[in-house]
């Protein structure tokens, strides 16, 4: 069945790869992001790229109104927009931290508030929220990113129960290491922090590990996400959570079953 799908953060990486995959399957895909110039190829394939910032309520209203006017419904909302802010809690400005939460958490809430009324009216729909394996565990230097993804987990669990009576599915995607722009964003964030930071040695270890992962076999290709999203979209009863990609399952397993002290020891052994 052809579905109307709205994907945020679709200008690159997981979002763009999946948009292409879903368009090729015959779905009606609205791909939104701030960088619309990077989505012209989606239009050539038959997609509908639109410029939108998830922190702008005006942008969100315009996009949702456009889709409803053109299609009359939204069957699937994939809240994929987000980024990683890295740096020690002592070093990262609260202004940057608030922006992280605004995009990764409040952006999802804003999309839900504008789209869900149409799903409720149709008594049908699926909301997919991109969390991370980082929503279940943690690494040093990632406090604000992990805090945002832990929040996505809690928000999604409550939302799932709230929307269950209306026949709307809420699914949490928990990717592991995926070959996207995430690593370059992380390194860019570190570059803005003083070379004299008290946490410099730890930061350098993480930089080294990130570069090795990018150069070697340390991450999965975005295709693993596109296949997973496709399975969710085409399922009548999708699972609550999908944990996919490099290290996602083993890292979360270690966090859950090894306990705090042992997990901390394993993480810090890499520092």
């Amino acid at each position: 069945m052809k579905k109307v799908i709205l994907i945020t953060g679709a200008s690159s990486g997981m979002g763009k790869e999946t948009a292409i995959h879903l368009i090729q399957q015959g779905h009606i895909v609205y791909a939104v992001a701030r960088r619309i110039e990077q989505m012209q190829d989606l239009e050539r394939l038959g997609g509908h790229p639109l410029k939108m910032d998830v922190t702008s309520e005006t942008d969100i209203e315009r996009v949702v109104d456009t889709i409803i006017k053109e299609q009359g419904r939204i069957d699937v909302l994939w809240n994929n927009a987000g980024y990683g802010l890295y740096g020690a809690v002592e070093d990262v400005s609260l202004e940057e931290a608030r922006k992280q939460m605004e995009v990764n958490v409040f952006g999802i809430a804003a999309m839900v508030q504008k789209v869900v009324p149409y799903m409720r009216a149709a008594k049908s729909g699926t909301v997919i929220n991109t969390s991370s394996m980082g929503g279940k565990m943690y690494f040093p230097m990632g406090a604000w990113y992990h805090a945002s993804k832990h929040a996505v987990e809690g928000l999604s669990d409550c939302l799932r129960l709230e929307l269950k009576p209306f026949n709307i599915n809420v699914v949490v995607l928990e990717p592991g290491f995926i070959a996207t722009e995430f690593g370059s964003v992380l390194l860019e964030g570190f570059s803005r922090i003083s070379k004299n930071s008290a946490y410099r040695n730890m930061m350098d270890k993480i930089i080294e590990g990130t570069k090795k992962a990018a150069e070697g076999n340390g991450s999965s290709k975005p295709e693993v996400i596109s296949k997973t999203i496709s399975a969710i979209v085409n399922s009548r009863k999708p699972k609550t959570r999908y944990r996919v990609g490099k290290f996602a399952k083993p890292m979360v397993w270690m966090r859950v079953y090894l306990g705090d002290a042992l997990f901390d020891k394993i993480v810090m052994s890499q520092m």
Side-chain angles (χ1 to χ4, degrees):
M1 177 184 173
K2 182 185 292 187
K3 294 186 177 180
V4 179
I5 304 169
L6 170 55
I7 303 175
T8 68
S11 61
S12 64
M14 303 188 306
K16 188 170 190 178
E17 186 72 33
T18 303
I20 292 171
H21 190 68
L22 293 173
I23 291 168
Q24 291 172 340
Q25 286 187 339
H27 295 293
I28 301 169
V29 179
Y30 284 81
V32 302
R34 289 177 299 129
R35 299 176 295 182
I36 193 169
E37 69 279 0
Q38 295 190 16
M39 299 187 291
Q40 297 310 305
D41 52 341
L42 298 180
E43 185 171 20
R44 290 192 292 271
L45 289 171
H48 304 266
L50 295 172
K51 186 174 183 179
M52 193 195 80
D53 185 334
V54 295
T55 67
S56 169
E57 187 173 355
T58 301
D59 277 8
I60 295 171
E61 286 182 348
R62 174 179 49 80
V63 165
V64 173
D65 287 348
T66 297
I67 299 172
I68 295 302
K69 182 178 180 180
E70 294 178 356
Q71 307 298 335
R73 71 187 199 275
I74 297 174
D75 300 309
V76 179
L77 165 63
W78 179 21
N79 287 307
N80 175 62
Y83 71 100
L85 174 63
Y86 271 72
V89 173
E90 184 180 343
D91 289 336
V92 175
S93 72
L94 292 183
E95 181 182 1
E96 288 183 292
R98 289 188 183 100
K99 182 182 177 183
Q100 172 84 123
M101 292 303 207
E102 192 68 38
V103 173
N104 288 12
V105 183
F106 294 109
I108 288 178
M111 292 299 299
V112 165
Q113 289 183 349
K114 300 302 181 184
V115 172
V116 160
Y118 295 102
M119 290 184 171
R120 275 195 300 99
K123 296 181 180 175
S124 175
T126 297
V127 177
I128 307 169
N129 292 335
T130 297
S131 176
S132 164
M133 68 176 185
K136 292 291 182 62
M137 36 76 71
Y138 49 85
F139 290 116
M141 303 289 116
W144 291 112
Y145 173 72
H146 289 290
S148 74
K149 293 305 183 180
H150 277 69
V152 170
E153 295 278 343
L155 184 151
S156 300
D157 286 336
C158 294
L159 185 65
R160 182 177 67 255
L161 300 183
E162 292 169 4
L163 298 185
K164 192 175 182 64
F166 303 103
N167 195 38
I168 300 172
N169 301 307
V170 177
V171 178
V172 183
L173 180 68
E174 297 175 338
F177 292 130
I178 308 295
T180 66
E181 295 179 344
F182 187 91
S184 61
V185 172
L186 181 155
L187 297 177
E188 181 184 343
F190 274 174
S191 69
R192 295 197 296 267
I193 295 174
S194 170
K195 296 291 184 181
N196 297 322
S197 169
Y199 307 91
R200 196 72 231 178
N201 288 340
M202 192 177 290
M203 290 168 62
D204 288 342
K205 289 286 187 181
I206 294 173
I207 290 170
E208 181 183 350
T210 301
K211 289 180 177 178
K212 284 183 178 179
E215 295 167 358
N217 191 32
S219 57
S220 298
K221 294 182 179 179
E223 285 90 335
V224 302
I225 300 298
S226 64
K227 289 179 180 178
T228 301
I229 295 296
S230 177
I232 296 169
V233 166
N234 294 305
S235 173
R236 291 181 62 188
K237 292 185 178 181
K239 296 187 295 184
T240 299
R241 280 177 169 77
Y242 289 79
R243 195 169 294 143
V244 294
K246 198 84 170 185
F247 301 122
K249 291 180 180 178
M251 289 301 297
V252 174
W253 184 92
M254 284 194 292
R255 173 67 191 102
V256 172
Y257 293 104
L258 297 185
D260 296 339
L262 187 51
F263 186 79
D264 286 1
K265 186 175 181 180
I266 292 171
V267 170
M268 293 307 291
S269 70
Q270 305 302 310
M271 297 296 113

